[in-house]
Amino acid sequence: EAGCSFCGACVDVCPTGALSEKTRKWAGIPDEYVPSTCPFCSLGCPVNIIVKDNRVIGSQPVGQPGNNHLCVKGRFSITELVNHPSRLTQPTIFMENKPLAIDWQEAISKITEKLSSCPPENFGMIISANATNEDLYIAQKFTRCVMKSHQITTSGRFHYGESFFTLMDLMKDSLPLSAIDTAYTILCLGLETRYALSVIESHLNTARNNGANILSICTDRHNLSEHADIWIQTLPEKDEEVFQKLLNLLSEEYESSDLNHREFLAKSQISQLRNVARKLMDTKNPIIIIGPKYLRLPNTSNILKLINSIAQEANAGIIILPAHNNIYGSFMMGAHPEVLPGGLTANQKQHLDEFKTHWGHSLPDYHENDGWENIQTEHKLDVLYLIGENNKTYPKSNEFIIFQHMFPPSEINAVDMLLPITAFTETDGSYLNYEGRVLASNAAVNSLESAMPSWKILCMVAEKMGAEGFNFNSVEEIQHEISMCVPGFQINNQVSKPSLTLFKDKSSKTFTAGKGKKNGKKTWRFVLTTHLSDQTYHGFPISNYVEGLQVLYPEEMLCINPDDAETMGISPGDQVLVTSPNFAKIWPAWLDIRQQPGTLSVSLDHLNAVPPTIAPAEIKKVHVQTD
């Protein structure tokens, strides 16, 4: 209620010790502080891992207390996640649906047997966009050199869909966060800085204290609603039209341009949009910050292109903040069918020949049917190899599923082999943050029992299959090879960012629906926005392992404006049937004044996602019988 973001700064600066962390209240004096990088979002904040007796007991921001910050995830979630009792510790194979613990030698032999008889077109690998650069690089090299296939992709590709390459194109020009501090006009688009992005909030406060104008365009009431100089609240399905009109105002004369579009902007908002255009054009080097909310819509690709045009027209810098911490790294490491390391296209023979020279392996030609769509549910594979990804999203019909992860799968009987991997606190590595900077992640404690880094497991399999070029003994050796393939790849350096204009994405379309609007012959009272949870790590909600986050991020709950709930006779916690043209679902009600009247929203684990992202809807309270 007080607007706290749970960044933990008060604990750091408390002079009496009255404030403390529950997870390490009785842990005693730490043995050491190991510098690393937080892996929970694309900011890549520096973090000190606090260690005692070879165990992670906490995490803190790097620097003097109160001068640097972490969000609630980086500050309070690491300890519980990496020490969770459900961690996988032993290779396991399932025989007649019964788990049998085996040693690594037997596990590698079994995997080799399956992969050796698997045709390239029937192999698929999906690796988490939270994986390190080294894991991603070895994974795609394994797929191309050992399995002779381009069928590798990441969870981020499924998350961003057709807008993936548009997102990559904008990320190559992202500015550092320090640019916010000295900006005079900052336009925030779909940006909620409470909790997960509270680090951004501290930069905005610095800018505001320096006299900056903070402008916000967002569908729902959010923490900037009360503090921004201008907040324009849009209808869920009308964001694209609003951005188009803003672009028109910038490219024409914002004082005289006709902007009589009352169907999606109120009269006061028309004046506000003119004001936004005026501030963007009259300020030197303004900044546009794109939050995760505008990166998960069915028309995200169109929206990003409009935002890019707005930035060019206003000569504004861009900061774009995807949820996945290493989505840009997955691209630069080549962990997608169309892309080779360094961002080179896989469909050009000269690029394939370059990597044949690098790796000493002939690479398969790239074909259109090698696309990431073929690794999805409708395509049965002989072997599906999941690294840091959950299995429930993918079909049981696949012949053999290898599940390489920190935690057990959602459906334990839907996989054939479990391989335990190390947590980020137990192995060295690196990530590329949202601006393309290479950031080091350092091992702070020893591996948990038999767990190994993903890159090491893949190298063991490759060598067992007789493949050369996988005899790496350390992360440093892998980084050296990456630097030979990816220009400028060095820890803490900016990597080369090639243009992605070679890739084309399909235009997305939205429908028009809303309170009192008609869709076909039916009148729908509400517009429902469903979105995938951004608060995930390696395919699972972080709240699965960090109890406190369940309160901050209520998933699988239908968010309703209190006035709408009262009209419909719905109270908090009531079971609500949501009917839409393509589905009917029951979710418990969550009342929130920040939810715009006439709209609904629900945050879903990607395992339970329902299409489309924006849909017309009706709701009614239902009585669910329980045993």
Side-chain angles (χ1 to χ4, degrees):
E1 291 79 4
C4 176
S5 290
F6 296 94
C7 67
C10 58
V11 178
D12 291 336
V13 300
C14 178
T16 66
L19 300 177
S20 61
E21 300 173 45
K22 287 194 294 183
T23 56
R24 68 182 186 99
K25 184 175 182 180
W26 310 109
I29 299 174
D31 294 334
E32 60 178 328
Y33 295 80
V34 180
S36 192
T37 298
C38 178
F40 292 144
C41 81
S42 60
L43 290 180
C45 296
V47 60
N48 277 327
I49 305 298
I50 308 173
V51 177
K52 185 177 179 62
D53 297 330
N54 193 44
R55 179 180 172 86
V56 175
I57 63 170
S59 55
Q60 287 182 338
V62 175
Q64 294 298 317
N67 292 333
N68 292 286
H69 300 282
L70 291 171
C71 76
V72 62
K73 294 184 294 184
R75 185 67 171 81
F76 295 112
S77 301
I78 292 175
T79 305
E80 291 180 70
L81 185 139
V82 302
N83 294 321
H84 200 272
S86 68
R87 286 276 307 272
L88 295 176
T89 60
Q90 184 75 24
T92 303
I93 190 168
F94 287 83
M95 307 292 290
E96 298 179 352
N97 290 330
K98 295 181 180 179
L100 176 64
I102 56 178
D103 59 27
W104 274 109
Q105 184 177 356
E106 188 175 354
I108 298 301
S109 296
K110 183 64 175 179
I111 295 171
T112 299
E113 177 187 334
K114 286 291 182 181
L115 294 181
S116 297
S117 60
C118 178
E121 65 273 13
N122 289 336
F123 173 81
M125 179 178 285
I126 303 174
I127 182 170
S128 172
N130 299 124
T132 64
N133 292 321
E134 296 73 24
D135 288 342
L136 290 160
Y137 177 82
I138 293 299
Q140 62 82 33
K141 183 180 178 181
F142 179 91
T143 301
R144 292 185 166 107
C145 295
V146 180
M147 300 308 300
K148 302 300 179 184
S149 171
H150 290 284
Q151 291 194 156
I152 178 173
T153 194
T154 73
S155 53
R157 186 66 174 274
F158 298 122
H159 190 90
Y160 301 109
E162 294 173 348
S163 63
F164 176 76
F165 288 112
T166 309
L167 173 64
M168 294 297 102
D169 202 19
L170 280 182
M171 286 184 72
K172 66 184 174 63
D173 295 320
S174 279
L175 298 175
L177 296 186
S178 58
I180 299 174
D181 300 345
T182 55
Y184 289 104
T185 293
I186 304 166
L187 175 59
C188 303
L189 305 177
L191 180 67
E192 169 66 80
T193 61
R194 194 178 185 189
Y195 304 145
L197 292 173
S198 58
V199 173
I200 301 292
E201 188 174 20
S202 66
H203 285 278
L204 291 176
N205 288 335
T206 299
R208 183 184 290 110
N209 292 337
N210 291 334
N213 296 298
I214 309 297
L215 319 174
S216 179
I217 299 177
C218 189
T219 302
D220 301 321
R221 183 174 294 276
H222 56 302
N223 64 323
L224 295 181
S225 305
E226 307 300 327
H227 306 293
D229 297 281
I230 296 175
W231 169 41
I232 298 178
Q233 186 175 26
T234 61
L235 293 173
E237 77 277 24
K238 294 297 182 180
D239 299 288
E240 189 174 336
E241 286 91 334
V242 171
F243 291 134
Q244 182 63 61
K245 297 311 167 187
L246 177 57
L247 178 60
N248 293 346
L249 285 171
L250 293 170
S251 57
E252 300 170 14
E253 178 54 52
Y254 50 76
E255 297 291 353
S256 59
S257 177
D258 178 28
L259 196 58
N260 188 23
H261 291 272
R262 303 293 174 83
E263 69 273 15
F264 59 87
L265 283 174
K267 184 176 181 180
S268 60
Q269 291 177 313
I270 294 173
S271 175
Q272 287 180 316
L273 200 62
R274 281 201 174 94
N275 226 349
V276 169
R278 183 183 300 112
K279 290 183 181 296
L280 286 174
M281 294 299 287
D282 293 350
T283 302
K284 185 178 180 181
N285 299 326
I287 289 178
I288 298 175
I289 306 177
I290 308 171
K293 288 188 177 182
Y294 282 134
L295 302 180
R296 58 192 181 205
L297 300 175
N299 58 337
T300 285
S301 184
N302 295 340
I303 286 176
L304 291 181
K305 290 173 182 176
L306 283 170
I307 293 173
N308 189 39
S309 297
I310 290 169
Q312 291 177 354
E313 195 68 36
N315 193 29
I318 284 180
I319 293 176
I320 186 166
L321 302 172
H324 296 79
N325 72 309
N326 206 22
I327 187 70
Y328 199 81
S330 76
F331 179 86
M332 293 301 291
M333 296 303 109
H336 299 277
E338 311 92 330
V339 188
L340 296 168
L344 298 178
T345 52
N347 61 355
Q348 293 190 21
K349 188 176 184 303
Q350 68 183 67
H351 295 160
L352 295 174
D353 289 342
E354 287 181 29
F355 281 91
K356 178 180 179 180
T357 302
H358 281 310
W359 293 334
H361 288 268
S362 59
L363 302 185
D365 292 334
Y366 174 80
H367 303 286
E368 289 299 323
N369 60 3
D370 290 329
W372 64 279
E373 295 90 347
N374 290 335
I375 317 176
Q376 294 186 96
T377 56
E378 70 273 9
H379 187 70
K380 181 179 178 180
L381 301 169
D382 288 349
V383 178
L384 176 62
Y385 204 136
L386 300 175
I387 301 178
E389 269 308 307
N390 201 355
N391 67 302
K392 192 176 176 182
T393 312
Y394 313 109
K396 299 178 183 178
S397 59
N398 288 302
E399 186 68 26
F400 193 82
I401 298 180
I402 303 169
F403 187 82
Q404 191 166 301
H405 209 291
M406 289 174 58
F407 301 108
S410 293
E411 296 183 5
I412 196 73
N413 293 328
V415 303
D416 299 282
M417 180 169 287
L418 299 178
L419 302 176
I421 62 173
T422 51
F424 82 97
T425 52
E426 299 162 1
T427 184
D428 294 333
S430 66
Y431 306 108
L432 268 68
N433 73 346
Y434 77 95
E435 58 171 313
R437 187 191 296 274
V438 188
L439 303 173
S441 177
N442 299 312
V445 295
N446 296 333
S447 301
L448 182 66
E449 296 189 26
S450 296
M452 288 198 292
S454 287
W455 66 263
K456 189 171 184 178
I457 299 170
L458 290 172
C459 287
M460 290 171 64
V461 175
E463 291 193 292
K464 183 72 173 180
M465 295 177 69
E468 297 182 353
F470 288 87
N471 57 335
F472 298 101
N473 295 310
S474 67
V475 162
E476 289 75 19
E477 291 181 6
I478 301 174
Q479 290 172 348
H480 176 72
E481 182 170 305
I482 294 174
S483 69
M484 304 294 289
C485 304
V486 181
F489 181 89
Q490 293 180 5
I491 301 298
N492 292 326
N493 275 6
Q494 194 90 353
V495 303
S496 174
K497 297 183 177 182
S499 171
L500 311 183
T501 53
L502 293 171
F503 300 103
K504 298 183 181 297
D505 51 2
K506 303 172 185 177
S507 296
S508 303
K509 295 181 179 179
T510 64
F511 63 88
T512 300
K515 196 168 185 177
K517 298 292 180 72
K518 291 185 178 181
N519 184 283
K521 296 181 180 180
K522 182 177 177 60
T523 299
W524 301 88
R525 187 187 302 265
F526 295 97
V527 174
L528 169 70
T529 301
T530 65
H531 57 84
L532 299 180
S533 171
D534 291 328
Q535 315 311 323
T536 61
Y537 183 65
H538 283 312
F540 289 99
I542 302 177
S543 57
N544 282 11
Y545 315 103
V546 184
E547 185 178 357
L549 290 185
Q550 296 171 11
V551 180
L552 303 186
Y553 296 107
E555 294 182 3
E556 308 289 332
M557 299 190 75
L558 184 70
C559 195
I560 311 172
N561 180 275
D563 292 338
D564 287 335
E566 183 178 2
T567 300
M568 303 300 292
I570 295 172
S571 301
D574 285 348
Q575 297 296 311
V576 179
L577 173 65
V578 181
T579 306
S580 191
N582 296 312
F583 65 86
K585 290 280 188 179
I586 294 177
W587 290 301
W590 176 276
L591 275 55
D592 195 333
I593 193 174
R594 295 174 297 178
Q595 187 69 33
Q596 188 172 171
T599 70
L600 311 164
S601 67
V602 60
S603 175
L604 300 171
D605 180 351
H606 75 286
L607 307 178
N608 300 313
V610 292
T613 310
I614 302 176
E618 283 292 339
I619 61 173
K620 68 175 182 179
K621 178 180 175 180
V622 296
H623 296 281
V624 179
Q625 291 184 348
T626 58
D627 295 334

